[in-house]
Amino acid sequence: MSQAEALAAPRVKAVWTLGLLRSELSTTFRRWRTLALLAVLTGVPILIGVAVKIETSDGSTIGGGGPDGGGPAFIAQITNNGLFLVFTSLAATLPFFLPMAVGVIAGDAVAGEANAGTLRYLLVAPAGRTRLLLTKYATTMTFCVVATLVVAVSALVTGAVLFPLGDVVTISGTRIGFAEGLWRAFLIALVVAASLIGIAALGLFVSTLTNSGIAAMATTVGLLITVQILDQIPQLHAVQPYFFSHHWLSFADLMREPVYWDDLTKNLQLQALYAAVFGSAAWARFTAKDITA
Amino acid sequence: MAPYESEDSQSQGTGRRKAVRYAVPVAVVGVAAATIGLVPALADSGDPDLPKVTAQELIEKIATSDTEQLSGTVKIHTDLGLPSLGGAAVGGFTGGGGGGEKGDGSSADPRTKLTELATGEHTLRVAADGPDRQKLSVLDDAAEYSVIHNGADVWAYDSASNEAYHAKDTRAAGDRAGKKTPEQLPATPKQLTDEILKASADTTSITVDGTAQVAGRDAYRLQIKPKQSGSTVGAITVSVDAKTGTPLKFTLTPASGGAAVVDAGFTSVDFGKPAASTFDFKPSKGTKVTEADELRTQDREKAVPQGADQLDGLNVIGEGWTSIAELKLPKEAGGMASGAASGELPADAQKFLSSLGDQVKGDFGTGTVYSTRLVNVLITQDGKAYAGAVTKDALVKAADAG
């Protein structure tokens, strides 16, 4: 096989990889499971929007208006500006819905194929295990972006229908135009998608460890919940900055004026670190593994 | 099975090659750990070399500093060693010790926010452009609390609850609220330093304790130490920017050692003019605005049963670092806090309150000492309170004398 690879021109390889990626993408996004996950994610902003609309329809404020009124970040501003529904929805889905969906897709990536007995057929194609793994990871990351954008777009449409749009008051109290606000919303969606890099790599690694798709998904989602709980225990503050979920809500710093970059950078660095560690661990495991199914 | 058997002779070699692959993630972890550990150490390039100055010159430098424009990020870490009961306990303690005033009515009211700053770690942003325009923001998770002074207006905006507080900056209002609204906050380190110098003379030693890097700038460290014994204050260090004379960092370490009680300093600072839009604030339609005038009326009604109004007979014993405030408490409060039986309080609450403090005995009778890492308060059974940044023994001595 290595001889065949050596003979093939790089361009042919690239075409192969693209073809593999395309077929992976279409397989993933045509699954009912994926569509159901995306449907749930579409529903969350609609639910929040309608709930806020009903609660404020009699002129009252959200959650009594106190400082501890509860609810996800930015929820108090939704009635002034529908654009804030995007931020609220992302803040509401980022701790659980989004990573859970990513965990399902990532956990299923390799183990699901092994479970269905299709992994060895994939490996028959002269793509190589490393490239197959990269393709799987790229597919998972594409899902991260798509899932985040689904939430954002659904929130934007719901917000535009139910609430007025206009100039955006940043959380620092300054004003920015609507176009600038939209641009920030887009950046926030990208940062949220990038926040999922870590759990995607972790899920992929778990996926290479087992031949059962369900076990891989359950482990990934279980890890997610465990880390989220550990992140709440004050005695563990020394290790908390290294949890992949620790800086997730830093995306809100993009709504400050000027933008506060410290935590955002920390988040992205941490996600890159997780991708490097668990990506290479997945590679080590997958390329050395006996494929029997 | 056949293919596997034929590979038997090579299996040792492949096994090793497989194991080597796992070295990659391990190496990545190692490199990351090394980077996390080493980069701060390497970035700390040691104390800068600056021409020597005397303490006197440095103080003058601070006094003549004409920094009017700056913006930056400040980290404040406060560790008073209070029992962690959240805002309620802190409010109670500052209320008793310093005569603080609490008012609720709007979460955007600056006074409610101040008690929050008394514990834990906070990130603040400050911006100033001359005497008329300042802004101070407390960065919370996905929310921000800003106080903006722009010309004749003082706005406070709480983005978490989307509430605003508005006051007119007339001088009359300024006198009352002046110390609390951050009008003067960017200058606070300076005031703090002035205050300390004024009270010093023969009670305090002030020295220049080398140099340091603060927020990437070269700075002198001014160290202030009490000469008197009995104070809980170990040392106060103020780092002063070598170029502009602006205080950049303030650290208060307790005499008992350990971590600083208050550690406030810039993590980044820029002496350029901040963007004008920084100081613009106009509440949007849905923002709930509380006017300062309304609030004050409400306050007066609410504040009657609690707060400083009833604490009469404030008396300061001693001077300098070891001065102790003596107050007469309202009857119920005194009984409650000193652990005396008072019919209104359930027994459990009694127990809880006395468990927070230590029982002490002296010529004055018995009382309870509530200690923090900096301030100790002694409440005697006959309803007197002694408070100060002094040791327990000093409080008991003061109570005996009183």
Side-chain angles (χ1 to χ4, degrees):
Chain A
M1 193 170 93
S2 64
Q3 267 183 338
E5 266 183 11
L7 286 172
R11 209 160 53 90
V12 179
K13 260 196 210 173
V15 171
W16 248 113
T17 314
L18 264 185
L20 192 61
L21 180 61
R22 206 178 312 134
S23 85
E24 274 298 318
L25 282 177
S26 65
T27 320
T28 308
F29 283 96
R30 251 188 246 146
R31 279 202 190 111
W32 279 109
R33 182 190 317 160
T34 315
L35 296 178
L37 283 172
L38 291 178
V40 169
L41 290 172
T42 319
V44 173
I46 301 177
L47 201 66
I48 298 176
V50 171
V52 169
K53 186 77 184 173
I54 292 173
E55 197 184 345
T56 55
S57 58
D58 57 347
S60 66
T61 51
I62 297 148
D68 307 314
F74 301 116
I75 200 163
Q77 277 103 325
I78 294 178
T79 41
N80 310 330
N81 197 330
L83 191 58
F84 275 96
L85 189 58
V86 177
F87 311 135
T88 309
S89 304
L90 287 173
T93 49
L94 182 54
F96 191 71
F97 285 107
L98 278 173
M100 187 199 66
V102 170
V104 166
I105 300 296
D108 196 43
V110 176
E113 302 275 5
N115 204 20
T118 45
L119 189 54
R120 45 184 160 174
Y121 299 112
L122 271 178
L123 289 173
V124 166
R129 291 186 182 190
T130 310
R131 255 191 297 161
L132 179 64
L133 194 69
L134 281 177
T135 313
K136 289 285 187 191
Y137 192 55
T139 311
T140 314
M141 283 319 301
T142 313
F143 177 78
C144 292
V145 175
V146 169
T148 315
L149 287 180
V150 160
V151 175
V153 169
S154 158
L156 188 61
V157 172
T158 314
V161 170
L162 293 179
F163 305 103
L165 296 174
D167 280 6
V168 180
V169 176
T170 64
I171 55 181
S172 303
T174 57
R175 251 160 211 278
I176 52 176
F178 183 69
E180 168 84 18
L182 262 185
W183 169 242
R184 298 238 181 155
F186 178 69
L187 280 184
I188 283 179
L190 285 189
V191 168
V192 168
S195 302
L196 299 169
I197 289 175
I199 182 122
L202 190 63
L204 196 65
F205 172 59
V206 172
S207 187
T208 60
L209 293 179
T210 168
N211 280 343
S212 156
I214 300 289
M217 290 183 221
T219 311
T220 312
V221 176
L223 273 173
L224 166 74
I225 298 170
T226 313
V227 165
Q228 300 262 39
I229 292 171
L230 292 182
D231 206 16
Q232 303 299 321
I233 300 176
Q235 280 78 8
L236 293 175
H237 65 92
V239 289
Q240 280 169 355
Y242 304 104
F243 291 160
F244 57 82
S245 65
H246 188 69
H247 297 294
W248 272 357
L249 281 182
S250 67
F251 76 83
D253 290 349
L254 277 169
M255 282 307 288
R256 300 187 201 281
E257 184 67 43
V259 174
Y260 184 65
W261 290 104
D262 288 24
D263 288 345
L264 281 166
T265 336
K266 269 187 215 155
N267 184 23
L268 296 181
Q269 282 170 344
L270 192 66
Q271 301 303 331
L273 178 63
Y274 268 85
V277 171
F278 288 103
S280 58
W283 169 81
R285 167 73 188 162
F286 188 59
T287 52
K289 186 184 177 185
D290 285 335
I291 307 294
T292 52
Chain B
M1 287 310 274
Y4 294 109
E5 278 162 6
S6 72
E7 275 174 9
D8 253 358
S9 55
Q10 303 173 335
S11 69
Q12 267 194 332
T14 40
R16 204 173 302 143
R17 224 179 304 142
K18 284 176 181 176
V20 167
R21 291 176 192 266
Y22 285 101
V24 178
V26 174
V28 173
V29 172
V31 168
T35 318
I36 292 165
L38 285 180
V39 165
L42 292 177
D44 184 14
S45 51
D47 298 338
D49 262 336
L50 294 170
K52 281 222 151 53
V53 292
T54 65
Q56 186 63 39
E57 282 165 350
L58 192 56
I59 290 160
E60 275 173 25
K61 199 173 181 106
I62 300 170
T64 56
S65 158
D66 56 354
T67 306
E68 289 215 317
Q69 297 172 338
L70 95 166
S71 55
T73 310
V74 178
K75 275 229 157 76
I76 295 185
H77 185 88
T78 324
D79 180 8
L80 289 171
L82 291 172
S84 62
L85 297 171
V90 178
F93 271 103
T94 50
E101 197 181 354
K102 292 209 320 172
D104 40 351
S106 166
S107 70
D109 184 352
R111 282 166 289 177
T112 46
K113 207 73 191 174
L114 266 171
T115 42
E116 243 181 74
L117 282 179
T119 49
E121 192 171 287
H122 297 271
T123 306
L124 273 63
R125 267 184 167 173
V126 293
D129 182 9
D132 287 336
R133 305 204 288 173
Q134 292 96 21
K135 176 169 179 172
L136 175 106
S137 312
V138 184
L139 308 193
D140 294 328
D141 285 342
E144 197 164 317
Y145 175 81
S146 320
V147 184
I148 304 152
H149 173 217
N150 191 355
D153 292 306
V154 178
W155 285 100
Y157 176 63
D158 184 6
S159 84
S161 58
N162 198 22
E163 285 179 17
Y165 168 91
H166 181 227
K168 285 273 175 223
D169 178 30
T170 55
R171 280 305 130 192
D175 281 347
R176 203 185 119 118
K179 276 200 187 109
K180 286 170 179 170
T181 53
E183 263 169 80
Q184 295 159 10
L185 262 184
T188 308
K190 196 163 154 180
Q191 278 185 336
L192 222 46
T193 315
D194 285 353
E195 203 78 347
I196 288 159
L197 285 177
K198 224 183 290 166
S200 66
D202 45 31
T203 57
T204 313
S205 92
I206 300 177
T207 50
V208 176
D209 180 37
T211 58
Q213 278 254 330
V214 179
R217 296 183 68 92
D218 296 347
Y220 290 105
R221 284 157 52 93
L222 188 70
Q223 196 177 59
I224 301 151
K225 269 187 175 168
K227 281 182 188 162
Q228 299 159 295
S229 65
S231 169
T232 50
V233 177
I236 293 170
T237 312
V238 182
S239 299
V240 183
D241 185 36
K243 277 210 189 77
T244 61
T246 312
L248 295 179
K249 194 173 159 95
F250 176 92
T251 313
L252 196 162
T253 44
S256 55
V261 173
V262 180
D263 186 31
F266 282 100
T267 53
S268 72
V269 64
D270 179 6
F271 289 98
K273 188 180 162 79
S277 64
T278 311
F279 306 104
D280 282 342
F281 179 76
K282 216 170 58 193
S284 49
K285 216 172 52 194
T287 308
K288 185 183 153 205
V289 178
T290 312
E291 290 291 331
D293 304 339
E294 302 167 22
L295 201 66
R296 220 153 271 159
T297 339
Q298 279 178 18
D299 259 11
R300 225 166 281 144
E301 287 158 12
K302 280 191 186 167
V304 176
Q306 53 150 306
D309 298 349
Q310 290 207 330
L311 298 171
D312 50 351
L314 176 72
N315 196 2
V316 179
I317 309 166
E319 59 158 5
W321 295 91
T322 51
S323 50
I324 294 169
E326 180 190 7
L327 339 127
K328 252 204 171 74
L329 292 177
K331 234 187 178 159
E332 311 87 59
M336 194 176 86
S338 63
S342 90
E344 287 166 41
L345 210 63
D348 283 345
Q350 284 273 359
K351 241 183 249 163
F352 173 68
L353 269 174
S354 20
S355 75
L356 288 178
D358 298 329
Q359 302 294 326
V360 288
K361 276 199 177 79
D363 296 347
F364 63 89
T366 58
T368 312
V369 174
Y370 297 93
S371 358
T372 68
R373 297 182 61 212
L374 190 64
V375 177
N376 289 323
V377 180
L378 166 65
I379 295 172
T380 64
Q381 201 138 26
D382 51 356
K384 274 185 180 173
Y386 299 87
V390 293
T391 56
K392 248 188 243 176
D393 299 342
L395 281 181
V396 172
K397 219 183 276 172
D400 284 345

